[in-house]
Amino acid sequence: MPVEQMEWSEIRGSEAAGRTANKIRQVVDVDRITPNPAKPLISLGLGDPSIGGNLDTDPAVTEAVVAQLKSMRSNGYPPSSGLLKAKAAIVSRYSHPDAPLAVRDITMASGCSGALDLAFKVLADPGSTVLLPRPGFTVYETICKAIGINVHYYALLPGRQWEIDLEALAAFLRSTEMKIAAWLINNPSNPCGSVYSREHLMDCVALADRFKLPIIADEIYEGMVFSGQTFHPIRLLSKTVPVLTVSGLSKRWLVPGWRLGWIILHDPLRLMDGVRAGLINLSGTILGPNSVVQAALPDIFTRTPESFYSRTMQILQENAEIARECLEGIPGITFLRPQGSMYAMIGIDVARLNGIANDRQFTELLHAEESVVCLPGEIFGMPNYFRIVYCIPGDLVREACSRIRSFCLAHLKA
Ligand SMILES: Cc1ncc(COP(=O)(O)O)c(C=O)c1O
């Protein structure tokens, strides 16, 4: 029948839209469960440090943006891959004699998620495979599935502070016929709260070198480590392996809603001119992140006092300690002490708990009985765990974790 004679019919979402889902958002954005009306709801669900009102960004960060807004000089389209002065600010902050940077190595993006989207798209063709951590941040899979990239999950080892099982990964890489386009490494980690040692990162770089794998380093929690830990940017450890580091303002500067992220390209063997060109092409699809925050970036970097970063980490470390005090030593629960970021994974031995078959049921019952929201490990690929976020005020972390404790004790088998 000629198209002009057809009736209207339902217009469906595309196939790509159908296979695109964010598992965290599916849990936190949907109000399926009614909390206990006798207890005010406390969410340890979302990694948004701005929610609790206890972790505001520094006034210097706000003033830098206000100044740009008032100037009226930041209202136009920036170049798609980013404003020159924002890129130059990143070069001055992150360039290092062992891994020197130029503005051509920087791409600005809409949040770290936007940087991840560009990084996956520029390295991987549909049908190729990328290596993702298990457990890992859910947006990696969301992006890959949308593009039609296959995913192979590599294991993180809870008994070894969530280090990567490099032996198993090497065995897989030796045996597979798949075309592996990139290896994503997240450090410090969401959801594990782990921080990798220099030695472990060196072993990762050696493996990447052996199998000629470009690394996507998700370092959005850069520098967010507790006392006794050191953050090592992986690109500084690589003399051969190409590294695309993705990061942004969301976590360290506590402004996730501002949506400013970036990619830093480390190209020691000068293999990535095509990738640079590809990033410029790809950034043309959305014409870059917002101009005002980009223009404020030089001031954000230079005017934020060191005391702001240390205060943030002091609060997060104190809160992690509160969570540990409440949750350690409960039968049926394994609290794995975090080393940084704002998360901890907690193991559940369901065999020891009454009426709880798995981590999803654990978190749903916890929500219904104690009005505490946590995310089931299953959505990060790690059943029999749940994740807590401890960036809200310490008294709320204490109250929520005490309720988790009571919940576990109430469900403990005799
Ligand atoms: C590991 C990790 N990477 C990337 C992101 C995304 O950051 P953004 O909010 O800047 O898109 C998050 C956000 O929670 C994250 O935890």
Side-chain angles (χ1 to χ4, degrees):
M1 190 190 302
V3 175
E4 60 215 334
Q5 287 168 24
M6 278 163 50
E7 297 291 319
W8 277 103
S9 61
E10 185 192 347
I11 299 172
R12 294 178 183 219
S14 66
E15 280 177 28
R19 56 174 192 260
T20 306
N22 180 331
K23 287 182 181 161
I24 295 184
R25 290 292 170 171
Q26 280 174 335
V27 174
V28 295
D29 289 351
V30 179
D31 263 343
R32 265 183 319 109
I33 297 161
T34 313
N36 180 344
K39 301 189 179 194
L41 188 75
I42 308 176
S43 177
L44 304 182
L46 204 57
D48 181 345
S50 75
I51 286 177
N54 57 321
L55 284 172
D56 283 339
T57 193
D58 193 79
V61 176
T62 312
E63 280 155 24
V65 173
V66 169
Q68 289 307 322
L69 268 176
K70 286 192 172 161
S71 76
M72 297 287 195
R73 298 278 67 83
S74 297
N75 293 344
Y77 287 117
S80 315
S81 71
L83 276 183
L84 191 56
K85 68 174 176 177
K87 293 182 179 182
I90 290 175
V91 169
S92 358
R93 186 179 175 88
Y94 294 98
S95 193
H96 186 277
D98 292 345
L101 295 170
V103 286
R104 64 197 279 270
D105 300 319
I106 313 300
T107 305
M108 305 305 295
S110 178
C112 185
S113 312
L116 283 162
D117 184 72
L118 291 172
F120 284 125
K121 279 184 181 153
V122 82
L123 290 178
D125 285 313
S128 66
T129 300
V130 297
L131 306 175
L132 299 184
R134 172 176 274 157
F137 179 52
T138 56
V139 168
Y140 307 142
E141 184 189 280
T142 309
I143 297 171
C144 290
K145 283 203 171 152
I147 309 170
I149 299 171
N150 300 322
V151 167
H152 172 81
Y153 290 97
Y154 63 87
L156 308 184
L157 301 168
R160 288 210 335 234
Q161 290 284 5
W162 301 104
E163 280 189 354
I164 299 170
D165 188 343
L166 292 175
E167 266 176 43
L169 182 54
F172 166 76
L173 290 168
R174 267 194 303 272
S175 65
T176 186
E177 304 267 288
M178 291 175 188
K179 161 141 184 38
I180 311 289
W183 176 13
L184 187 132
I185 298 175
N186 173 216
N187 176 53
S189 156
N190 174 12
C192 304
S194 52
V195 177
Y196 290 149
S197 65
R198 188 171 193 277
E199 292 66 36
H200 186 58
L201 290 168
M202 295 282 282
D203 290 344
C204 294
V205 170
L207 190 77
D209 189 39
R210 209 160 105 214
F211 289 94
K212 306 295 173 277
L213 295 177
I215 291 175
I216 301 176
D218 182 345
E219 296 181 354
I220 186 72
Y221 298 97
E222 60 180 64
M224 298 183 72
V225 302
F226 298 156
S227 44
Q229 303 292 329
T230 309
F231 166 68
H232 299 279
I234 201 166
R235 71 179 181 284
L236 301 190
L237 306 177
S238 160
K239 294 198 182 337
T240 53
V241 178
V243 180
L244 273 67
T245 303
V246 294
S247 188
L249 289 184
S250 300
K251 310 293 176 168
R252 197 148 192 227
W253 287 267
L254 308 174
V255 286
W258 290 7
R259 312 306 304 131
L260 193 70
W262 51 80
I263 302 177
I264 297 174
L265 213 138
H266 171 64
D267 184 16
L269 298 182
R270 298 180 187 277
L271 303 170
M272 291 207 286
D273 280 348
V275 170
R276 280 188 192 79
L279 285 169
I280 290 176
N281 293 346
L282 289 168
S283 60
T285 60
I286 57 157
L287 306 184
N290 85 78
S291 55
V292 178
V293 186
Q294 283 197 69
L297 198 60
D299 285 347
I300 291 176
F301 282 164
T302 52
R303 297 195 182 164
T304 306
E306 278 306 313
S307 57
F308 164 76
Y309 305 113
S310 48
R311 178 181 167 273
T312 305
M313 288 323 295
Q314 189 189 335
I315 291 173
L316 288 172
Q317 183 160 359
E318 281 168 10
N319 287 355
E321 194 49 25
I322 292 172
R324 188 193 62 76
E325 279 166 19
C326 299
L327 297 175
E328 219 170 45
I330 310 176
I333 290 290
T334 311
F335 183 83
L336 297 170
R337 201 178 195 150
Q339 301 164 303
S341 77
M342 49 180 78
Y343 309 97
M345 286 286 267
I346 298 164
I348 322 168
D349 182 358
V350 284
R352 302 194 64 183
L353 300 173
N354 267 322
I356 295 176
N358 53 45
D359 50 301
R360 190 172 280 263
Q361 205 179 6
F362 179 97
T363 52
E364 289 184 358
L365 274 180
L366 179 68
H367 190 161
E369 292 177 14
E370 296 290 342
S371 304
V372 174
V373 179
C374 298
L375 294 186
E378 170 220 306
I379 65 176
F380 304 100
M382 201 74 189
N384 295 323
Y385 281 81
F386 66 98
R387 185 195 78 171
I388 61 165
V389 181
Y390 42 80
C391 52
I392 58 172
D395 53 342
L396 289 178
V397 174
R398 188 178 299 283
E399 170 64 21
C401 291
S402 314
R403 289 194 214 161
I404 297 175
R405 184 181 183 90
S406 314
F407 173 84
C408 293
L409 294 176
H411 284 269
L412 196 63
K413 283 185 182 159

